[in-house]
Amino acid sequence: MNIFKFGGASVNSADAVRNMSNIVAAHRKQPLLIVVSAMGKTTNALERLIPEADTNDAERQSTFQQLQAYHHDIIKGLYGPSSDNVVTEALRQDAHRHTLGKVDSFFELLSMRMASHPTTYNFDYDQTVSLGELISTTIISDYLNYLGINNRWVDVRDIIRTDANYREGNVDWDATRLNAQSRLLPLLQADNEGLDQPVVVTQGFIGGTVAHTTTTLGREGSDYSAAILSYCLNAETMTIWKDVPGFLNADPKVFDNTIKIDQMPYNEAIEQAYYGASVIHPKTVKPLQNKGIQLCIKSFNDPSQEGSVIGPFKSIRPQCPLYIVKHDQVLLSIMPKDFSFIAEDNLKTIFSALASLNIRVNLMQNSALSFSLCIDNNPVLLKQLQELLSKNFLLRYNEHLQLITIRYYTQAIIDQMVAGRNILVQQRSRTTAQLVVIQ
């Protein structure tokens, strides 16, 4: 059994969905579980429609209409007249209307969510943003069936069981494994050796509680979803299809002349993800390592290329520096109001506040009188964090920063990366340098 994960960029248009369907069609000799993200930048748009989001009514309505039109256009492009004569005109129109109706039912749910009274940001986030994956997988499953690639659509909220830690759901591994093996495995049983094997389509990023509320697994968590299912189903391999040729030593949108890593040890991949490498979610690799499942990263633009493999290797090949840049960072400095030392009781209060809001710390540093942390700039959560801490602490912060991480650095590399900019925080170990600089 193979598990394929397709991200938003790989399904961001009708042409992209057709390309994805070609990849699926070429890998039908083993049972295939397909995990799909929301299309394109849908998640970003849905974040602006959360009841607590800082957008006015006109902006919210415009975003809603644009989002619905975007998905309508993809559906229209998939079922438009073509020369392949897959089906008759009447069947094509029926398929178009069928998918459109199902997708619009999700937009009706979204409209009701937008009109609902705010509860807590994290809960409302999950109930709203999760609709992106439900919409994308509905479109894709219907289209694959339309092409004759018979598949089953499965609601992953019935499979991946989490607690009620919204925006960062913690997986109940025993319940999830039981659900996967009792509900998914029968759908993926190989049959008719040598012929096309079963295909199942499901969602990334989301899970469900025992109370049937929706949770998410952390931003960009679709990779993690695929890893969870790979672990629970004892998959042979997991493949992430990306718009890059494999695991690169730096983001090609930021750096020129990047180098493709052919093979990477599990532990190194975990380090890269922890520091913010956009190729994989931070929690993805560990479940695969525990079962010895190799993770392949391949290009959906050129599926014939080898890509990169993460597995039980001893070293990176080829050896080279690795660069990670996180943009739009905030450096928050926290000082006790009574000018006491930053001691364990102060740290307990600070970390309790961070945990209650599910804010991930990208870098931290403390001195005798202050504690500084670098976090992603989420205005809603930053405001709530300030409200929690301002009673006992003096706060100050800098915005519009970059967090630069360099694995296997040299001083010359650091000097080149910083290029004379002011360094606000710097940390170094034997292999890793991290620097917070003005963007």
Side-chain angles (χ1 to χ4, degrees), residues 71-133:
H71 288 90
H72 281 188
D73 286 344
I74 290 177
I75 296 168
K76 181 179 179 181
L78 292 173
Y79 297 105
S82 63
S83 59
D84 55 17
N85 296 317
V86 173
V87 295
T88 67
E89 178 65 15
L91 288 175
R92 182 184 65 79
Q93 292 184 8
D94 284 346
H96 185 184
R97 284 193 294 268
H98 179 69
T99 301
L100 198 63
K102 289 199 288 187
V103 166
D104 278 344
S105 69
F106 287 119
F107 278 99
E108 290 175 9
L109 288 175
L110 176 59
S111 181
M112 289 188 287
R113 287 295 318 161
M114 291 167 57
S116 64
H117 190 273
T119 53
T120 64
Y121 177 80
N122 289 341
F123 175 82
D124 290 337
Y125 181 100
D126 284 4
Q127 310 320 302
T128 303
V129 171
S130 56
L131 291 169
E133 277 69 20

Side-chain angles (χ1 to χ4, degrees), residues 98-234:
H98 179 69
T99 301
L100 198 63
K102 289 199 288 187
V103 166
D104 278 344
S105 69
F106 287 119
F107 278 99
E108 290 175 9
L109 288 175
L110 176 59
S111 181
M112 289 188 287
R113 287 295 318 161
M114 291 167 57
S116 64
H117 190 273
T119 53
T120 64
Y121 177 80
N122 289 341
F123 175 82
D124 290 337
Y125 181 100
D126 284 4
Q127 310 320 302
T128 303
V129 171
S130 56
L131 291 169
E133 277 69 20
L134 296 170
I135 291 169
S136 67
T137 52
T138 296
I139 293 172
I140 288 163
S141 177
D142 280 4
Y143 182 64
L144 291 176
N145 281 325
Y146 169 78
L147 295 179
I149 302 174
N150 296 327
N151 70 93
R152 293 287 295 272
W153 183 93
V154 171
D155 190 335
V156 81
R157 294 175 297 180
D158 297 328
I159 307 298
I160 296 180
R161 182 67 62 241
T162 76
D163 62 9
N165 190 41
Y166 298 104
R167 282 187 60 247
E168 204 73 50
N170 297 300
V171 176
D172 181 335
W173 287 93
D174 290 337
T176 299
R177 182 168 58 249
L178 179 62
N179 290 340
Q181 294 184 355
S182 63
R183 300 184 187 188
L184 278 179
L185 202 56
L187 302 178
L188 290 163
Q189 294 295 338
D191 194 13
N192 300 321
E193 185 175 347
L195 301 178
D196 290 343
Q197 298 299 320
V199 176
V200 170
V201 175
T202 195
Q203 305 80 36
F205 183 48
I206 64 178
T209 69
V210 293
H212 303 291
T213 56
T214 303
T215 56
T216 63
L217 303 177
R219 199 66 160 84
E220 309 294 342
S222 292
D223 294 352
Y224 185 38
S225 301
I228 293 167
L229 297 174
S230 295
Y231 176 91
C232 292
L233 295 171
N234 298 310

Side-chain angles (χ1 to χ4, degrees), residues 413-424:
I413 290 174
I414 291 176
D415 293 341
Q416 183 180 14
M417 284 293 300
V418 174
R421 289 181 290 173
N422 187 26
I423 301 174
L424 302 183

